[in-house]
Amino acid sequence: MKASVIEKINATNQKYLKHLVGKDIPQKLVDQINNMDWSYLDLIDQKEQTRGTFAPLGAMELSEIETKKEEFKAIGIKAMKECKVGAILLAGGQGTRLGFDKAKGMYNIGVNKDLYIFEQLIRNLQKVTDEVGAYVPLYVMTSDKNDVQTREFFAEHDYFGYDKDYVKFFVQEMVPAVDFDGNVLVEAEDSLAMSPNGNGGWFTSLVQAGLGADMKEKGVEWLNVFAVDNVLQQIADPVFVGATIQSGCVSGAKVVRKCDPYEKVGALCLEDGKPSIIEYYELTPEMAEATNESGSLLYGFGVILNYLFRVEKLFEIAEKKMPVHIVEKKVPYMDEEGNAIKPDTPNAFKFETLIVDMVYLMDNCLSFEVDREKEFAPVKNATGVDSVESARELLKKNGIEF
Ligand code: UTP
């Protein structure tokens, strides 16, 4: 077993592992090296995926939704009463931009009283379940880095009043982080620096954790997937659920009208005729500023990481290979002399699959506009744009006390 590890270290000329050759390698490290997917290293020299031909995709706009609201809501509530809708909280990220070293959901956004991000999300969900009169199964994705603390936090806070039988946790997969020359980083003497594999692998991880059976048993047909970091996130929104079901689409995406053509959000569009997300940096100035006859931006509806997916379709696409994105991040590591280094600037590549690529695998998607002032308060940074400060402003505007 160790011989194969040494072969791998030598064959790939691994800078941070070389000194281990000839020594007694800790078993945990042997297992990690044996189990890791070395093919990730080959991706570093590859260019980003090529994209297809983009075309704009409109949205079901607020005015139209308003006129059909009660009809959609009745469909959504019926589905929820029949336990056909589950929710997936993506909470495996590391929140490096926020600079908070615990799970982001444990961040206390309160000023005059405690208000944890997880707490606010559960409150948002409870508003719906109280109205519906039935619980929505909630599946929380964590990573190896924050799984124990997240489970303990929920337990300590009595699941913020939610029925704990309807809350299940599962852990996403980890992948190695490498320096810019392709050397696998080491976190400690007995372990590699592993990172969560992005937010695109959630369904595979959910199924691997055995929760596919739980969903089937409960009769869950739709999953509402959402990010941990939007404190105004409306979860299992019956109007959105009803509109998506009625549309006949296999997926739906909540979108907000961009505040300017260059806002740093991905825009929902079509790529080779399929629903897709074009990132803000992929838009040419012509595309970013293009408008229709009524003056609205053609690529003007930004995604807020709140999607509804039909479970049947998720199983169908589960075997498809998703593109792996190479992202530059700050990853703490141990150098060759054994010093612990905490970098101030990005020093490593991480390998991630992204949920936006999952949307492309869906045949169709209802683009569903929501009011950004009421539903979009992301906490990405400590200060400035999409920060704790801006989220607090929006909480205040929505009458939420903190
Ligand atoms: P972000 O793309 O903002 O990543 O996540 P992040 O890791 O939380 O933050 P930064 O970039 O390091 O500052 C969007 C959503 O996807 C989840 C996050 O928890 C958040 O809900 N996510 C991200 C995962 O669940 N797993 C991942 O590996 C990455």
Side-chain angles (χ1 to χ4, degrees):
M1 193 157 156
K2 286 192 183 165
S4 66
V5 166
I6 290 164
E7 250 170 52
K8 278 173 196 159
I9 295 173
N10 285 334
T12 48
N13 201 19
Q14 288 296 317
K15 183 167 154 188
Y16 304 105
L17 297 170
K18 259 191 212 162
H19 67 283
L20 294 170
V21 175
K23 293 204 186 122
D24 192 17
I25 309 176
Q27 191 56 43
K28 182 174 168 194
L29 195 52
V30 171
D31 292 342
Q32 280 185 328
I33 294 172
N34 269 328
N35 295 333
M36 87 171 236
D37 182 350
W38 288 81
S39 68
Y40 279 116
L41 269 53
D42 302 333
L43 299 173
I44 298 171
D45 301 324
Q46 285 175 19
K47 297 214 169 52
E48 270 293 283
Q49 63 183 131
T50 47
R51 305 292 302 256
T53 305
F54 291 111
L57 176 68
M60 180 182 275
E61 298 187 15
L62 289 175
S63 51
E64 184 184 350
I65 294 167
E66 193 50 44
T67 61
K68 299 185 184 154
K69 193 171 166 190
E70 292 312 316
E71 186 187 341
F72 291 154
K73 197 169 170 181
I75 299 172
I77 288 182
K78 181 172 178 290
M80 268 178 251
K81 278 191 194 297
E82 292 166 354
C83 203
K84 287 187 178 159
V85 183
I88 307 281
L89 166 51
L90 298 178
Q94 290 179 289
T96 51
R97 284 170 287 173
L98 182 62
F100 178 61
D101 61 4
K102 298 188 191 130
K104 207 190 249 188
M106 291 165 69
Y107 189 85
N108 186 356
I109 197 164
V111 176
N112 299 316
K113 59 178 185 178
D114 291 342
L115 181 62
Y116 302 101
I117 293 181
F118 280 140
E119 179 179 9
Q120 182 56 35
L121 293 174
I122 296 291
R123 280 197 200 169
N124 296 348
L125 176 57
Q126 254 168 339
K127 232 179 21 199
V128 174
T129 54
D130 285 352
E131 189 183 359
V132 172
Y135 279 104
V136 166
L138 175 67
Y139 303 97
V140 183
M141 183 167 86
T142 62
S143 82
D144 270 357
K145 303 239 181 231
N146 64 22
D147 182 61
V148 173
Q149 52 181 256
T150 302
R151 287 174 199 248
E152 285 176 359
F153 195 70
F154 270 82
E156 271 162 31
H157 292 89
D158 204 14
Y159 293 76
F160 303 103
Y162 210 69
D163 185 335
K164 78 178 193 338
D165 290 343
Y166 283 84
V167 184
K168 300 246 183 299
F169 298 87
F170 65 102
V171 185
Q172 70 178 100
E173 281 164 57
M174 303 291 279
V175 288
V178 303
D179 73 8
F180 295 149
D181 297 319
N183 296 295
V184 173
L185 290 170
V186 173
E187 186 180 57
E189 288 189 354
D190 67 346
S191 55
L192 299 178
M194 305 290 280
S195 322
N197 68 342
N199 59 23
W202 64 271
F203 188 69
T204 317
S205 300
L206 179 86
V207 173
Q208 265 165 13
L211 293 171
D214 183 78
M215 281 189 317
K216 276 193 178 150
E217 195 182 299
K218 290 191 165 89
V220 175
E221 291 180 4
W222 292 91
L223 285 172
N224 182 203
V225 189
F226 64 99
V228 70
D229 47 25
N230 173 8
V231 283
L232 287 181
Q233 192 80 264
Q234 300 304 301
I235 305 148
D237 168 2
V239 182
F240 176 45
V241 171
T244 308
I245 293 176
Q246 206 202 49
S247 72
C249 289
V250 288
S251 69
K254 284 199 166 190
V255 295
V256 293
R257 220 170 259 270
K258 280 189 187 174
C259 56
D260 73 72
Y262 295 99
E263 187 184 354
K264 291 183 173 174
V265 291
L268 192 62
C269 63
L270 292 173
E271 181 182 349
D272 295 335
K274 295 183 73 178
S276 185
I277 285 124
I278 181 161
E279 292 299 341
Y280 65 92
Y281 49 81
E282 294 177 303
L283 286 172
T284 61
E286 292 73 37
M287 287 164 93
E289 291 176 24
T291 54
N292 62 16
E293 58 288 350
S294 48
S296 299
L297 294 172
L298 288 181
Y299 293 92
F301 289 107
V303 285
I304 59 169
L305 218 172
N306 189 321
Y307 301 104
L308 190 68
F309 295 115
R310 193 159 171 81
V311 174
E312 226 173 40
K313 186 73 186 172
L314 288 169
F315 275 108
E316 194 186 307
I317 65 166
E319 295 306 313
K320 298 214 171 142
K321 222 174 158 47
M322 289 181 50
V324 177
H325 296 260
I326 298 170
V327 193
E328 291 184 14
K329 293 243 177 169
K330 290 184 264 182
V331 177
Y333 69 103
M334 208 176 78
D335 71 11
E336 293 148 282
E337 278 79 47
N339 305 307
I341 313 284
K342 217 171 170 193
D344 297 324
T345 50
N347 63 312
F349 291 130
K350 280 188 180 179
F351 303 96
E352 299 190 335
T353 56
L354 303 178
I355 191 164
V356 288
D357 292 318
M358 202 169 214
V359 176
Y360 179 76
L361 297 174
M362 296 278 144
D363 291 330
N364 44 51
C365 180
L366 175 71
S367 176
F368 184 89
E369 186 188 4
V370 297
D371 182 347
R372 62 186 299 149
E373 294 273 299
K374 293 188 183 142
E375 298 206 19
F376 191 42
V379 181
K380 296 282 184 196
N381 307 300
T383 54
V385 179
D386 296 343
S387 66
V388 173
E389 290 162 357
S390 59
R392 281 189 184 136
E393 279 303 307
L394 285 158
L395 283 173
K396 211 186 289 169
K397 274 193 189 163
N398 282 278
I400 296 162
E401 287 178 15
F402 54 91

